[in-house]
């Protein structure tokens, strides 16, 4: 270590950090970690020392240390994009998806709109998307299982109900009598004496066929009743299928709407920016275009300079809402 | 095929390029531009597209093939688009398949797609009033014999009245 007579701990620590940085660049991670550790010992309140050391540990896949250093750094300053990002990665390693995505989300938020070399939105997005997708797969399959179970159960109940009614209809026709039993109201099932099968059947029958011809034979009435019961059963099953189909729709992969996608990358927006022409693009992609292709709006060809774009917050919100309901769209 | 020499920089597609091409292909499959057919190959980087001359134009009933090669940094760079043998007789299309069309070179924009290129080419064909080669066809084709890509040509665009 260089001898540093006469300098304050602060200056010494900065010097050590510089040494660490140059070791890091030469891929001497052990030496870099040592330098940062000394800097931290001298000045533990400088977040950059912690995040730089975390970066070294990250390169060595020492995730436990990455986590500790990032937590320390975030204690000092909670707005450090890199610390949230690396902490997210460390938590992913431990399969703490929920906590990990919280930090990656935070990193993404902080990273949006940044410029130059610190722009790491795409990198963060990729990791976040992977984690969110894993989370979604687990949640979606859980929901699907629950819904399937409930659906099977309800189908069983409907079927049982249908079979009971059929059975009653047949029993009724076997002991067919034409006269209508007195003493019950046919518009309400609850007051029917359930011990009286014949009464129930008549009640059902009258409920379903209030205008039935009195001259019809018991055989005809039974047939009509059975077909009525069958139709009703099928309709209920169909409605149930439709309801469950709708309930399961968000968990089935579909299309991301065009208005949530950049026309150049054709991918869902991460950091949307709007041009004076009113067109929205992915920031990094548009900047690359302005740098490599030309200073014009890719769609309208109007002259465009990088400082003329502004974040499109409404689209950013729309994307977040869409993703929160359609986790499959995280698949990249 | 006149084109085998052009793939000088056969670099693999960047992640962004591959991602975008995959999406263009999916979109093409559900909504292909009218008069075009993508011939399935195992390569995302080279598309072969069948072109049918539009009805009531000089090219009605004729069929051509476009070869589209995508650079590593597509769509920040234009794809290379040429007609395979035999190219349509057209004042902006050379007998080696090279197409004089500004959007393929100087006027490229990353917001354009294979579909929009196809539509431009078909419209160029459809508006033609004469079946002829460009006046400098011989000279140009001779200059390209070493397998030069049309993207290396310094195009002096013909007027767009034809």
């Amino acid at each position: 270590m260089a001898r540093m007579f006469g300098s304050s701990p602060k200056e010494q620590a900065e010097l050590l950090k510089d040494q660490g940085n140059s070791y890091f660049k030469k891929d001497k991670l052990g030496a870099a970690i040592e330098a940062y550790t000394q800097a931290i010992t001298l000045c533990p309140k400088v977040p950059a020392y912690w995040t730089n050391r975390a970066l070294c540990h990250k390169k060595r896949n020492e995730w436990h240390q990455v986590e500790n250093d990032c937590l320390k750094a975030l204690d000092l300053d909670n707005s450090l994009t890199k610390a949230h990002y690396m902490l997210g990665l460390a938590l992913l390693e431990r399969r703490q998806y929920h906590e990990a995505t919280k930090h990656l989300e935070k990193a993404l938020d902080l990273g949006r709109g940044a410029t130059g070399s610190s722009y790491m939105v795409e990198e963060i997005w990729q990791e976040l998307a992977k984690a969110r997708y894993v989370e979604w797969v687990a949640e979606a399959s859980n929901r699907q299982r629950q819904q399937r179970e409930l659906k099977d159960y309800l189908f069983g109940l409907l079927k049982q109900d249908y079979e009971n009614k059929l059975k009653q209809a047949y029993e009724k026709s076997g002991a067919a009598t034409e006269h209508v039993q007195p003493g019950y109201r046919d518009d309400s099932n609850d007051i029917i004496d359930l011990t009286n099968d014949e009464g129930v059947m008549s009640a059902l029958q009258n409920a379903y066929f209030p205008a039935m011809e009195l001259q019809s034979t018991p055989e005809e009435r039974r047939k009509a009743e059975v077909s009525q019961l069958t139709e009703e059963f099928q309709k209920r099953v169909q409605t149930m299928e439709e309801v469950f189909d709708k309930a399961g729709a968000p968990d089935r992969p579909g299309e991301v709407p065009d208005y949530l996608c950049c026309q150049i990358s054709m991918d869902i927006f991460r950091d949307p920016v709007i041009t004076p022409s009113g067109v929205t693009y992915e920031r990094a992609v548009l900047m690359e275009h302005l740098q490599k292709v030309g200073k014009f709006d890719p769609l309208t060809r109007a002259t465009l300079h990088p400082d003329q774009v502004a974040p499109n917050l409404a689209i950013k919100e729309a994307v977040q809402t869409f993703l929160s309901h359609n986790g499959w769209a995280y698949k990249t | 095929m006149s084109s085998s020499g052009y793939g000088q920089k056969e670099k693999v597609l960047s992640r962004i390029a591959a991602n975008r091409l995959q999406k263009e292909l999916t979109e093409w499959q559900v909504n292909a531009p009218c008069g075009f057919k993508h011939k399935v190959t195992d390569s995302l980087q080279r598309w072969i597209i069948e072109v049918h001359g539009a009805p009531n134009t000089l090219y009605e009933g004729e069929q051509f093939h476009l070869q589209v090669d995508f650079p590593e940094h597509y769509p920040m760079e234009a794809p290379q688009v040429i007609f395979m043998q035999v190219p349509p007789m057209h004042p902006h299309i050379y007998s080696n398949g090279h197409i004089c069309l500004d959007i393929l070179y100087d006027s490229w924009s990353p917001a354009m797609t294979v579909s929009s290129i196809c539509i431009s080419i078909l419209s160029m064909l459809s508006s033609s009033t004469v079946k002829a080669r460009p006046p400098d066809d011989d000279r140009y084709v001779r200059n390209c014999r070493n397998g030069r890509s049309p993207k290396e040509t310094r195009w002096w665009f013909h007027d767009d009245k034809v």
Side-chain angles (χ1 to χ4, degrees):
Chain A
M1 193 178 103
R3 301 180 61 155
M4 294 168 287
F5 292 116
S7 48
S8 68
K10 212 169 142 188
E11 286 164 341
Q12 289 179 30
E14 273 302 293
L15 219 59
L16 284 159
K17 185 197 81 176
D18 293 341
Q19 284 176 11
N21 290 358
S22 76
Y23 284 134
F24 180 81
K25 276 185 200 130
K26 290 180 213 146
D27 222 23
K28 293 181 175 163
L29 297 174
I33 289 173
E34 205 170 300
Y36 295 134
T37 306
Q38 288 178 18
I40 288 167
T41 314
L42 289 171
C43 289
K45 290 214 183 308
V46 181
Y49 304 162
W50 296 96
T51 50
N52 284 13
R53 193 170 74 177
L55 192 61
C56 296
H57 287 303
K58 173 175 170 274
K59 270 201 147 182
R60 302 214 297 196
N61 282 319
E62 294 161 352
W63 294 104
H64 186 66
Q65 283 92 326
V66 173
E67 193 175 327
N68 285 341
D69 283 357
C70 287
L71 284 171
K72 281 275 170 28
L74 290 173
D75 263 353
L76 297 166
D77 178 357
N78 195 34
S79 68
L80 298 166
T81 311
K82 278 185 187 162
H84 281 290
Y85 173 57
M86 288 190 286
L87 179 55
L89 294 181
L91 290 164
L92 283 185
E93 285 293 318
R94 290 207 283 122
R95 295 173 188 275
Q96 301 291 306
Y97 293 107
H98 190 68
E99 279 301 302
T101 51
K102 271 207 279 190
H103 286 285
L104 292 172
E105 233 21 297
K106 181 89 180 159
L108 193 61
D109 253 358
L110 293 164
R112 282 194 183 103
T115 47
S117 60
S118 63
Y119 195 81
M120 43 192 305
V121 164
E122 186 58 28
E123 206 177 327
I124 301 168
W125 165 266
Q126 289 294 333
E127 296 298 336
L128 174 67
K130 255 189 274 172
R132 278 266 187 250
Y133 189 73
V134 170
E135 261 192 318
W136 172 79
V137 168
E139 285 166 9
S141 66
N142 198 27
R143 272 193 296 271
Q144 276 165 359
R145 193 168 34 78
Q146 283 174 349
Q147 286 173 9
R148 200 165 39 236
E149 194 186 80
L150 179 60
K151 193 173 133 184
D152 289 347
Y153 180 70
L154 290 179
F155 179 77
L157 289 181
L158 286 175
K159 195 162 162 256
Q160 201 174 31
D161 173 65
Y162 168 62
E163 283 165 357
N164 283 346
K165 284 176 179 164
L166 275 187
K167 204 171 130 203
Q168 288 166 353
Y170 279 105
E171 278 167 3
K172 163 104 198 303
S173 85
T177 47
E178 273 294 29
H179 71 277
V180 173
Q181 301 249 335
Y184 60 85
R185 288 211 336 253
D186 59 5
D187 59 340
S188 162
N189 285 346
D190 352 30
I191 60 152
I192 294 167
D193 178 9
L194 288 173
T195 55
N196 183 345
D197 276 348
E198 221 172 55
V200 173
M201 280 326 295
S202 303
L204 281 171
Q205 202 169 315
N206 289 342
Y208 295 136
F209 306 106
M212 185 175 283
E213 304 254 337
L214 283 176
Q215 300 95 311
S216 60
T217 66
E219 177 63 12
E220 280 166 349
R221 292 175 72 174
R222 183 179 60 82
K223 268 191 181 160
E225 193 178 342
V226 165
S227 83
Q228 181 78 16
L229 286 169
T230 307
E231 196 183 310
E232 181 191 71
F233 169 67
Q234 284 167 343
K235 217 167 168 183
R236 280 178 178 159
V237 171
Q238 198 196 335
T239 306
M240 185 188 72
E241 297 273 3
E242 282 165 11
V243 168
F244 276 93
D245 192 61
K246 269 189 195 143
D251 282 335
R252 280 191 296 275
E255 290 277 320
V256 179
D258 282 347
Y259 56 84
L260 299 182
C261 293
C262 169
Q263 300 213 42
I264 302 178
S265 70
M266 294 191 172
D267 220 345
I268 194 162
F269 285 116
R270 291 88 153 111
D271 186 4
V273 289
I274 188 162
T275 68
S277 302
V279 189
T280 299
Y281 300 97
E282 182 63 40
R283 182 190 295 270
V285 173
L286 182 64
M287 291 303 146
E288 195 189 349
H289 158 79
L290 293 177
Q291 203 194 336
K292 288 189 185 164
V293 187
K295 300 268 185 290
F296 63 93
D297 187 308
L299 218 68
T300 65
R301 294 190 184 271
T303 307
L304 178 65
H305 287 277
D307 54 8
Q308 288 178 289
V309 307
N312 189 336
L313 301 177
I315 287 292
K316 191 191 113 192
E317 292 279 321
V319 164
Q320 279 168 344
T321 307
F322 181 82
L323 285 170
S324 68
H325 296 122
N326 299 274
W328 49 264
Y330 276 110
K331 190 168 177 94
T332 55
Chain B
M1 189 161 78
S2 65
S3 54
S4 48
Y6 299 142
Q8 39 310 72
K9 29 179 189 178
E10 274 289 318
K11 282 206 172 169
V12 286
L13 296 169
S14 67
R15 194 189 59 79
I16 292 170
N19 195 26
R20 167 150 157 175
L21 277 173
Q22 196 56 59
K23 295 206 161 122
E24 279 197 55
L25 191 57
T26 311
E27 173 63 21
W28 178 293
Q29 278 153 358
V30 290
N31 189 19
C34 190
F36 295 88
K37 213 177 132 196
H38 172 253
K39 297 189 114 179
V40 180
T41 60
D42 53 0
S43 166
L44 198 57
Q45 197 158 6
R46 169 174 286 181
W47 292 21
I48 307 292
I49 295 167
E50 214 174 271
V51 190
H52 296 269
N56 305 315
T57 69
L58 292 179
Y59 306 91
E60 175 166 5
E62 292 183 59
Q63 187 181 309
F64 311 99
H65 288 93
L66 284 170
Q67 176 179 284
V68 188
D69 285 298
F70 298 95
E72 178 189 2
H73 294 295
Y74 179 79
M76 290 302 155
E77 257 182 69
Q80 174 192 283
V81 185
I82 55 170
F83 274 105
M84 295 162 75
Q85 296 302 352
V86 178
M89 287 290 273
H90 184 283
H92 298 173
I93 300 169
Y94 291 90
S95 50
N96 63 356
H98 291 196
I99 306 163
C100 179
L101 180 62
D102 60 351
I103 57 152
L104 296 177
Y105 314 104
D106 302 20
S107 299
W108 168 254
S109 159
M112 290 191 279
T113 61
V114 184
S115 284
S116 69
I117 293 171
C118 284
I119 291 165
S120 290
I121 289 175
L122 191 63
S123 129
M124 185 181 96
L125 286 179
S126 298
S127 58
S128 173
T129 53
V130 53
K131 278 191 163 185
R133 290 286 172 218
D136 57 339
D137 188 52
D138 284 352
R139 188 161 44 90
Y140 178 78
V141 173
R142 221 176 312 124
N143 282 336
C144 289
R145 266 189 313 208
N146 55 356
R148 192 169 70 170
S149 161
K151 289 176 73 180
E152 289 163 44
T153 302
R154 295 192 66 178
W155 291 98
W156 188 15
F157 295 103
H158 303 98
D159 63 60
D160 37 353
K161 283 181 210 120
V162 184

